Amino acid sequence: MRIGLLTDGGYPYATGESRLWCDRLVRGLAQHEFDIYALSRSAQQEDHGWIQLPPQVQRVRTAPLWAPEDDGHTYGRRERRRFVHHFKELAAAVCAESAVCGESDGFADGLYGLAELARERGGLYAALRSEVAVRVLESACRVPGARRAMHAATVPDYLEFVDQLERALRPLSLDWYGDDGLGAVDLCHAASGGSAALPGLLAKRFFGVPLLVTEYGVQLRAHYLAASDGELTAPVRALLAAFQGRLAAEVYRQASVITPGNTHARRWQEKCGADRAKLRTVYPGMAADRFAAVGDGDDSGDPHTLVWVGRIEPAKDLIALLHAFAEVRKEEPPARLRLFGPPVQGPEAATYLAHCKALAAQLFPDEAADAHAVGDNPVSFEEIGGPEAPELADAYASGGVVVLSSVVEGFPISLVEAMFCGRATVSTDVGAVVEVIGGTGLVVPPRNPRALGDACLALLRDPERRARLGAAARARALELFTIEQNLTAFRGIYLELISHSPVRREAEAVDADGEPLPFAHPAEAHVPGHWTGSGTAASGSTPRWADAPVRGLVGADATPKEARA
């Protein structure tokens, strides 16, 4: 089958975890053809180019969301009336008090109306940035029943919001919706929600293509976190949150199957209107073989060393970790703390790293064995790829206990890597940590240095418990979080969805000489009548086997008991 893979800021660009899992998916399902429809997020991302793509990728089409894209289209009087009508519906739904989640019929009517206008008469760039759009938005913000924060919006707020809205809705104006584009695919797979799923919504609207949505980090949650940085005014934040909430509700409503990456993401999706019957938890697939030497080896690491691995940023709460380690050192003077991360990027991360180093120097003055020796600090900040840790696995192998101290976390990748390495872990209870650990590590409340320090001490003093927890963690990770289980799950979902959808590529069932290709279409495509419809068996109801659970899926109901701890 042909899959339209929809991405936003990830694959095929060479950045981010989303690129990694999409690449593993495409390479692992070599029996299918893939068309990539990618939205890029920055000029830097486009300058870095694409990774090397496998032969099953038939085509790649990209579009930028980071720069103004004036398509040169202007509307006549009739088209302007259509635009105003549909934009009023969308703006009214966004500004309504119940605009975050739930039913979204008014929003959907406006969204699809704008999409049909763009498809018939050209793009929406000029119309969405026009004075007419600003006036419509102002009226929607001031009507009775609008959210309170929106009543305080001013003209600069309206201008900022329509600028953000035009970028978010830019997929509506793309030329991807034709028989040679998304109309030719058998299934759309959106690698995230939000703008990435918009082409999938239109493919379903215009051509009836089923939509699969995967979210390893819920796009709406990511938007809330990004919008809280203080750069936007309260009315703009309220408008953007309402729009993203409405869009998420519509994506979940139209998707045939939604695959959250963990129960934490699943709860967010349910709160935003996702039907539980559509939800299938599929854990991310991670490469376990790169950690096999450490996990299968006999070296359990330095029994006095705590290891932390991740990006240096405030959400990781290294300040609390340093204070926790100060408590550890009081009880265990030989203890060391090694913090590993990639090179710091950006001024905010550099400032935070400098602050952490200053705190470490203050809490742990360099110690020397005698008056003639060079002092040594028990806390070290090291980069992955350095002489002490040339590979990521070497960082985990250097200590006996791995620590995660975050206050915000989605799916904890570093925690799974530590589990692959067979290391005992101490983690804060954030995001999907408890679900991932499943009783194979210690979990403490976030922002609690004393609890974090006590848990670290408990493992440092008990080598048998460390070994027992590390072995259990490795077994759990190999069962749930490998690439193989991820591919098995999506292979089954693809087949299930296509079995309920009509075969649509009759023209392609011939070879280069025009001769029919044997077995080009599945046999069920030739069963007369609406065999996938509702009703009795005699009238073509869905067969019982089609409703059976897909083997290999990791669902919420199939989660092992220890994962619910």
Side-chain angles (χ1 to χ4, degrees):
M1 71 181 75
R2 177 178 289 180
I3 311 298
L5 187 61
L6 315 176
T7 68
D8 182 4
Y11 194 66
Y13 300 101
T15 56
E17 181 63 25
S18 63
R19 183 271 297 177
L20 290 176
W21 86 260
C22 286
D23 190 55
R24 293 164 182 160
L25 178 73
V26 171
R27 294 181 186 275
L29 300 181
Q31 69 271 34
H32 300 306
E33 300 173 358
F34 285 85
D35 293 347
I36 310 299
Y37 293 83
L39 305 173
S40 67
R41 283 290 171 177
S42 68
Q44 181 182 15
Q45 188 177 61
E46 293 203 355
D47 291 341
H48 285 168
W50 305 342
I51 64 170
Q52 185 175 358
L53 299 174
Q56 53 265 38
V57 175
Q58 300 296 304
R59 76 167 90 180
V60 178
R61 302 184 71 172
T62 65
L65 296 186
W66 49 272
E69 278 285 308
D70 190 350
D71 47 28
H73 290 286
T74 57
Y75 293 152
R77 182 177 301 175
R78 181 176 299 177
E79 288 77 19
R80 284 199 299 270
R81 285 201 297 267
R82 285 181 62 186
F83 170 79
V84 169
H85 172 72
H86 298 310
F87 190 67
K88 278 184 177 179
E89 291 182 304
L90 186 141
V94 167
C95 295
E97 181 64 35
S98 59
V100 175
C101 298
E103 295 296 329
S104 56
D105 291 341
F107 178 86
D109 291 341
L111 181 70
Y112 297 127
L114 292 175
E116 290 166 359
L117 176 61
R119 190 183 184 204
E120 296 171 11
R121 299 296 182 184
L124 300 166
Y125 178 88
L128 284 172
R129 293 172 177 268
S130 65
E131 183 180 352
V132 173
V134 173
R135 289 178 177 175
V136 169
L137 180 63
E138 180 180 14
S139 298
C141 288
R142 296 185 182 280
V143 298
R147 296 172 68 85
R148 181 177 300 178
M150 299 174 187
H151 282 290
T154 61
V155 171
D157 297 326
Y158 302 138
L159 294 174
E160 175 65 26
F161 176 67
V162 296
D163 175 73
Q164 300 268 359
L165 184 64
E166 186 277 324
R167 294 171 191 267
L169 294 181
R170 194 168 293 172
L172 304 185
S173 303
L174 300 176
D175 59 351
W176 294 353
Y177 315 106
D179 293 334
D180 61 340
L182 286 172
V185 304
D186 299 308
L187 170 68
C188 281
H189 186 175
S192 68
S195 294
L198 270 175
L201 291 180
L202 301 193
K204 181 173 183 179
R205 176 80 172 188
F206 297 146
F207 307 106
V209 179
L211 173 62
L212 166 65
V213 177
T214 295
E215 286 189 307
Y216 288 128
V218 178
Q219 193 71 15
L220 183 60
R221 175 179 176 271
H223 169 79
Y224 287 159
L225 293 175
S228 62
D229 57 10
E231 294 183 1
L232 302 175
T233 64
V236 175
R237 291 200 302 269
L239 286 164
L240 288 173
F243 168 76
Q244 294 291 343
R246 284 291 195 180
L247 179 58
E250 179 61 17
V251 168
Y252 297 153
R253 188 166 70 95
Q254 295 296 337
S256 299
V257 172
I258 306 164
T259 57
N262 51 72
T263 302
H264 180 250
R266 183 186 181 112
R267 287 196 294 266
W268 269 85
Q269 292 168 339
E270 289 181 0
K271 289 180 180 179
C272 292
D275 184 356
R276 288 188 176 184
K278 297 180 179 181
L279 294 170
R280 316 276 185 85
T281 302
V282 180
Y283 293 121
M286 299 177 60
D289 52 352
R290 65 189 300 195
F291 306 105
V294 178
D296 294 333
D298 297 329
D299 186 2
S300 59
D302 186 342
H304 302 294
T305 298
L306 301 174
V307 171
W308 177 93
V309 179
R311 294 189 311 274
I312 304 293
E313 59 185 14
K316 303 303 182 181
D317 201 10
L318 296 184
I319 303 300
L321 177 57
L322 290 171
H323 283 289
F325 184 64
E327 299 298 320
V328 172
R329 285 275 294 180
K330 292 178 182 178
E331 302 293 332
E332 292 289 331
R336 292 184 58 85
L337 173 62
R338 301 182 67 178
L339 300 105
F340 296 92
V344 171
Q345 296 182 350
E348 181 182 5
T351 301
Y352 186 70
L353 176 59
H355 179 55
C356 292
K357 287 183 175 180
L359 179 61
Q362 178 183 355
L363 292 175
F364 312 101
D366 289 352
E367 302 170 352
D370 54 56
H372 303 286
V374 177
D376 181 33
N377 195 299
V379 177
S380 61
F381 294 82
E382 307 172 47
E383 288 189 0
I384 301 294
E388 297 294 328
E391 300 292 339
L392 184 59
D394 298 321
Y396 293 107
S398 64
V401 178
V402 176
V403 186
L404 183 145
S405 55
S406 302
V407 293
V408 176
E409 196 76 50
F411 186 85
I413 294 172
S414 63
L415 202 55
V416 176
E417 292 171 343
M419 294 168 70
F420 281 137
C421 292
R423 291 298 186 260
T425 59
V426 176
S427 312
T428 48
D429 185 5
V430 292
V433 164
V434 171
E435 180 182 3
V436 168
I437 286 295
T440 67
L442 304 187
V443 180
V444 301
R447 303 184 193 275
N448 192 329
R450 181 173 294 277
L452 188 63
D454 289 344
C456 291
L457 272 174
L459 291 184
L460 288 175
R461 290 172 169 174
D462 194 338
E464 292 184 0
R465 189 181 187 189
R466 286 202 311 271
R468 186 171 62 251
L469 289 176
R474 176 164 169 75
R476 178 175 174 80
L478 291 175
E479 178 185 359
L480 297 180
F481 307 124
T482 62
I483 296 174
E484 290 73 22
Q485 68 82 23
N486 184 269
L487 293 177
T488 299
F490 281 116
R491 185 180 294 113
I493 291 174
Y494 282 5
L495 292 176
E496 178 187 3
L497 288 178
I498 205 65
S499 72
H500 289 77
S501 302
V503 175
R504 303 141 37 72
R505 293 190 288 158
E506 295 290 341
E508 298 184 16
V510 295
D511 60 19
D513 298 325
E515 296 296 325
L517 289 173
F519 309 108
H521 296 312
E524 62 268 20
H526 303 286
V527 176
H530 300 287
W531 67 277
T532 60
S534 59
T536 63
S539 62
S541 63
T542 305
R544 290 180 179 270
W545 58 265
D547 293 327
V550 180
R551 293 187 62 190
L553 281 177
V554 182
D557 295 333
T559 306
K561 290 182 179 179
E562 63 268 23
R564 300 171 185 163

